[in-house]
Amino acid sequence: MPSVQASLAVAALAGVLVLASASGSTLLAGGIALVVLIFTLGAVGAARVHSARWSAVVALLAAGGALGWTWAESTSDLTPIAALLGPTLVLSIVVQLWRRDGRAGLTTSLAVAVTASVLAVLPVTWLALRESSDGRYPVGLALLGVGAV
């Protein structure tokens, strides 16, 4: 059962992201970087898989690259996300194959790596949507919905 404090913290973070979205793309990018860190460390930490640290590193690098690329170009195009997510998934497979602790749990470990990568890169779409012609309002409403949920 989730705690009240954790729920309030998530709602507050969503509220901050709504204000950041209204303020500009730089503040929203900073808030998204925080969300990426929370998603990645939460997904990897909850998995209790031996090689999860490397999965988190790969996922954070991919998300940082996609976020930086999307922010620098101020584009509503999802090309940065797709261009970095594909190689990240391949790199996740390679990292899992280099494990020295045997093949036990390989499927679980690979599933954690892929999930961490997708969860890390997905919030970058908020920034891409905000950069579209009418994107400021849908992003704000979507983040308000996240906070309410």
Side-chain angles (χ1 to χ4, degrees):
M1 180 97 158
S3 68
V4 174
Q5 292 87 1
S7 300
L8 289 175
V10 169
L13 179 60
V16 168
L17 287 174
V18 169
L19 293 174
S21 175
S23 299
S25 62
T26 303
L27 289 176
L28 182 60
I32 289 172
L34 180 63
V35 168
V36 164
L37 187 67
I38 291 169
F39 277 4
T40 305
L41 296 181
V44 168
R48 298 186 193 345
V49 176
H50 177 68
S51 62
R53 283 181 285 188
W54 290 110
S55 301
V57 169
V58 169
L60 287 173
L61 288 174
L67 184 61
W69 187 354
T70 304
W71 176 77
E73 288 192 358
S74 297
T75 182
S76 63
D77 191 16
L78 297 179
T79 300
I81 297 166
L84 288 172
L85 190 56
T88 299
L89 296 178
V90 172
L91 185 60
S92 296
I93 292 170
V94 170
V95 165
Q96 296 307 315
L97 291 176
W98 274 345
R99 291 174 36 186
R100 296 183 185 255
D101 60 343
R103 297 293 151 226
L106 179 64
T107 304
T108 304
S109 187
L110 184 57
V112 167
V114 169
T115 303
S117 297
V118 171
L119 281 176
V121 173
L122 213 55
V124 178
T125 58
W126 293 337
L127 184 61
L129 177 62
R130 189 197 182 282
E131 296 300 328
S132 67
S133 60
D134 292 329
R136 180 179 299 166
Y137 303 110
V139 170
L141 289 174
L143 291 171
L144 277 176
V146 167
V149 168

